[in-house]
Every structure is written in C-alpha cells, then in structure tokens.
Amino acid sequence: MTTHPVSLTLYRARLLNQPDLYRITVDQGTITTVDPDPASPPDVLDIAHAPTVDPLPEALDVNGRLVVPGMVDAHMHLDKALTLPYANNPTGTLEGAIHSFGHIRPRLTPDDVVRRFQLMAKTVVSYGTTRIRSHLDFTNRTTFLPLLHALAAAIDEWRDRLDVQLVVMAPRDNHPEFVDALAGGAARYLTAIGGAPHLAPDPYANLSWITSLAQKWGLGLDLHVDEQLNPQAKTLGWLAHWLTENTVEHLPVIAGHVVSIGTMPPEEASTWIQAVAEVPLGIVTCPATNLYLQGRHDTVNVRRGLTRVREWLAAGVPVAIASDNIQDPFNPFGRGDLLEMALLAGYAAHLGAAEADTLLAMITEIPGQLLGLSPYGVVPGSIADLVVLDAHSALEALQWQSPARWVFKRGRLVASRALVQRWYGETYPETDLFEPPHAPL
C-alpha cells in the first residue's frame, strides 16, 4: 500500500479534557489547526458513512465523537506473538514462559515471524494503534540478522499504516557475539537496546554493559526492569542514578514492568519514585502479562504484580500502558487492543472515572512522547495519526470499549471497525448507545 500525505478536515470533534467541539484540519499529514467550532457544513459526510475506496473525502463530520491521537503500544514482543499453539506454559509463571518459548525459539524462521507480524499488524491497526515498539530476543548472530532483515522489509511494507520501532533484548551473560551482531549491521535497524538485567547472574554488571553499548551505538535504552515480586530487586535505582551522570540518545529512557517496587514498604518505594522523577525516565506498565504471571506462588492475598501506577502519576513520572505479550506463553489472551488494556489497567491500578482521560492519555499521548514524538496529540504540529472513537468522552470509551472506530494514519483513513447488531423476532426502536439511561436524580 502506497499513500501520499493528504488534506483533511474533521468537524465536531470532542477531545480529551475539553468540553467543546472542535474542527481539526490536516495538511500534508500534519495537524495544522485545532479550533473550537460546534458546526459542520450540511454537505459534509458523517464518518459512519465514509467510503472504503479512493477517492476518500477531504472532510468528515465526526458528529460529537471523541477524537484521540493514534494509539501507541510502547512495549510488545512481535517475535513471540501468537505462538501459544506451539509453546504452552502449564505453570503460568514467568520462569515457565521463558522456558517454554526458549524451547521453540530455535525453530522460528524469519518467514514465520513475518507472517505473525502481518497478522498482528492488521489487528492492532484496526483497533486504533498507529505506532508500536517491539522487543526482540537475541539468539545468535547467524539467526538474528536474517530475522532483522526480513522483519524490517515487512515493516517497510506497513509504513503507511503502522510505524514500528525495534528493540533488541541483550543477553544476560554479556556475550561478545551480541556485540558482533551490532557491528555486523543489526544496529541500523534498532531504536534502542533492551534486556532484563534483574535476571542476569550479575544484574549491575549486565546493566552497565547494556548502557555502554547504547552509548557506543547511539541507541536508546528500553529495559525490562525488576519484573519480579522480590523487593530486593532494585536495578531501577541503579538506572536512575546512572542517568544523573550519563546520557543516551532517544531520551527518555524507558523502564518496563517495574514490578518489585510494588512490594517495597511505602517509605522505601517513595524514595525510588522521587529519584526517578528527577531524571529522564519513563515507565511502561504491562497489566495483562503481569497480572497473569505474577503472584503464582502466593496462596493468601495474591499480589497483583503491577507497578505503583498511581504513585508514579502523582510524582509526575510519565506512565504508559502497553500490551506486552499476546497469545503466547507469557499471556494466553489479548488481541492488541490498547483500549482494552486501559480498561484492565483501570481495574488493576484502582484508576476510576475521575482518571478516565488519564487512562486514554496513557495509551496515546504519553507513549507517543516516550517513543520520541514531540509534539504528539491532537495539537497543531503533531503528526496526524488519529482515532475516532464511538463515544462522547473518555469514560464512555472505556465503559463501552467503542466497538466502532475509525483510524487515520498521517491524515488518511486507513481502517475502521463497525458494530453490527441484529435482533430477531422483535422490533426495537433505534436508540443512541450513549443516551443517559435514566433521568438525572
């Protein structure tokens, strides 16, 4: 699919944290104006009737629906997605998942990974995701470089609908073959270097090695951090201190999961949170996978295994919500729907109706900024990646999960989903899904 930047006007759009209706204009794939305007010209087509073939209209009436930035999934594992049929995890633990995937990993070919990527790309775009960052396991130079070549070619084919950044998971044994792979061409495909230092025999030596490689190759840092319930796992503190004395490309640095801080005493956790708040470090929480894997050995008061989302937000630390694993040994469920992940995070992190706009920002604006987009949002100067949700507010979007959605990439309508309901044997009058169900008390 080859497209070109387009001009577009969306009328009567609702925005996060704004009570009014707005007119959004796009030119050459960039948002140019966002102005209050409650009206739409009478000849402008309702977005619900937008055609699916060219020429697409240059003006659409969203009719009071909520318009948000394109969703950004800041932490995925494309090489693992959809492998559950081949790699079950009967223990349900993180250790069991690592072992299960490790058993099939040598048999995964570049063609297989590309096939599953294409399936996931179709799915996530249809739900409103326009940009993702995927972590990839490093095996060895011989197998990893062909995988990168094949995946990069597939990603290029999707560039008009989905932007993809790649992060390589550095080995935990500081293996020199990893350095050889970076020198052999892997680095040019990557945005950042990642890893899971807390699982290494010497976590701090592994973390120091990873940070030095990121600096050498001009790459960002995006790490799995303290993904366990042991309160003694504290690589987060080392990373925060390192950032006070060093810098890397593609700031901010990202710490994914950050589970152990949830098991620390509140006073100790507060100290770490304050340290992180003073450096360019963002947090990505992965509620589905952490809820599924963590706390498996608890028999009473089973721990959720989530990071301290509310405390991070209160301290001003940027927190994004991500899918992480999808239908693999680490998470047998999931479909790449970030709105679903936001709902799950709301339940798990005790974020309610008052935080609905924040939950949507955590799957749109915040991860976009963490991945280097500035500005990113429904604001002038931002890339025109937009999603129209069939809701009048963030709360309604979370409550009803917006079965109908319209997805724009650089101002061009590239996908939509629709709700089809049929009733048999009875006739029901048409009603507005979002009409108040009862008179105000």
Side-chain angles (χ1 to χ4, degrees):
M1 176 180 176
T2 301
T3 61
H4 304 282
V6 296
S7 297
L8 173 72
T9 303
L10 297 179
Y11 290 95
R12 297 199 293 171
R14 294 189 188 276
L15 307 181
L16 293 176
N17 296 302
Q18 299 294 333
D20 300 323
L21 297 179
Y22 286 79
R23 181 183 69 254
I24 304 166
T25 61
V26 173
D27 185 55
Q28 297 297 301
T30 300
I31 297 174
T32 52
T33 65
V34 181
D35 296 317
D37 188 350
S40 174
D43 59 340
V44 172
L45 190 67
D46 189 293
I47 196 170
H49 306 298
T52 58
V53 296
D54 288 331
L56 297 174
E58 293 189 356
L60 290 166
D61 180 9
V62 301
N63 198 14
R65 296 177 177 90
L66 181 66
V67 178
V68 299
M71 299 180 196
V72 178
D73 209 329
H75 187 120
M76 297 186 75
H77 289 268
L78 292 174
D79 53 347
K80 298 180 175 72
L82 308 179
T83 59
L84 184 66
Y86 324 111
N88 198 3
N89 176 16
T91 69
T93 64
L94 176 59
E95 297 77 13
I98 293 172
H99 175 78
S100 180
F101 185 75
H103 183 69
I104 69 161
R105 186 170 57 186
R107 305 199 304 269
L108 299 179
T109 65
D111 287 346
D112 174 67
V113 175
V114 166
R115 178 184 63 83
R116 288 183 285 107
F117 160 72
Q118 291 171 336
L119 290 172
M120 285 308 310
K122 292 178 182 178
T123 302
V124 302
V125 171
S126 74
Y127 282 117
T129 293
T130 57
R131 184 176 297 262
I132 63 177
R133 176 178 281 189
S134 175
H135 297 253
L136 300 173
D137 282 9
F138 178 77
T139 48
N140 56 63
R141 176 174 174 167
T142 303
T143 58
F144 187 66
L145 288 177
L147 169 63
L148 271 183
H149 289 306
L151 192 53
I155 288 169
D156 188 60
E157 292 176 0
W158 275 85
R159 67 186 184 278
D160 293 317
R161 291 159 289 184
L162 179 68
D163 287 307
V164 181
Q165 297 180 357
L166 297 178
V167 179
V168 62
M169 297 275 288
R172 298 191 288 273
D173 58 0
N174 302 4
H175 202 286
E177 190 173 7
F178 180 71
V179 180
D180 292 342
L182 293 175
R188 74 174 186 267
Y189 296 108
L190 302 173
T191 299
I193 297 179
H198 60 282
L199 297 177
D202 186 338
Y204 302 107
N206 186 237
L207 190 50
S208 178
W209 179 63
I210 292 172
T211 54
S212 68
L213 290 176
Q215 288 181 306
K216 176 180 179 179
W217 291 98
L219 296 169
L221 279 170
D222 190 333
L223 298 160
H224 289 55
V225 173
D226 301 335
E227 190 184 356
Q228 55 184 257
L229 293 171
N230 178 7
Q232 298 306 312
K234 298 176 180 178
T235 58
L236 176 67
W238 190 98
L239 182 61
H241 176 73
W242 184 86
L243 281 169
T244 65
E245 300 179 345
N246 298 271
T247 187
V248 294
E249 298 291 330
H250 307 292
L251 290 172
V253 168
I254 294 178
H257 297 286
V258 197
V259 171
S260 69
I261 196 170
T263 66
M264 296 177 187
E267 298 79 10
E268 184 179 10
S270 179
T271 300
W272 292 118
I273 290 171
Q274 186 57 42
V276 169
E278 295 173 357
V279 296
L281 182 63
I283 306 295
V284 176
T285 184
C286 306
T289 304
N290 286 148
L291 284 169
Y292 183 76
L293 293 175
Q294 300 296 328
R296 286 280 177 168
H297 302 299
D298 293 344
T299 57
V300 178
N301 294 330
V302 178
R303 290 167 289 181
R304 300 183 181 205
L306 223 62
T307 193
R308 291 179 177 267
V309 174
R310 293 182 66 90
E311 290 93 330
W312 289 122
L313 293 171
V317 175
V319 183
I321 298 165
S323 295
D324 199 9
N325 299 83
I326 296 174
Q327 297 179 30
D328 64 21
F330 299 79
N331 175 19
F333 311 116
R335 55 184 181 174
D337 182 359
L338 279 175
L339 192 58
E340 183 178 66
M341 288 299 100
L343 177 65
L344 185 58
Y347 281 120
H350 291 157
L351 300 174
E355 294 87 16
D357 286 272
T358 299
L359 283 165
L360 261 63
M362 291 167 72
I363 59 173
T364 56
E365 298 169 7
I366 294 173
Q369 293 162 4
L370 290 180
L371 267 56
L373 297 176
S374 181
Y376 189 65
V378 188
V379 295
S382 173
I383 185 174
D385 290 358
L386 302 166
V387 182
V388 180
L389 299 174
D390 203 8
H392 296 156
S393 67
L395 181 59
E396 286 180 355
L398 290 164
Q399 290 169 330
W400 297 97
Q401 290 290 287
S402 187
R405 307 179 195 185
W406 296 265
V407 186
F408 294 82
K409 185 64 178 172
R410 298 183 181 88
R412 181 181 178 85
L413 185 61
V414 295
S416 66
R417 301 183 72 91
L419 171 66
V420 177
Q421 289 185 337
R422 294 186 176 91
W423 297 91
Y424 299 93
E426 299 287 346
T427 301
Y428 293 93
E430 291 190 10
T431 58
D432 183 350
L433 179 63
F434 307 112
E435 182 180 348
H438 50 70
L441 296 177

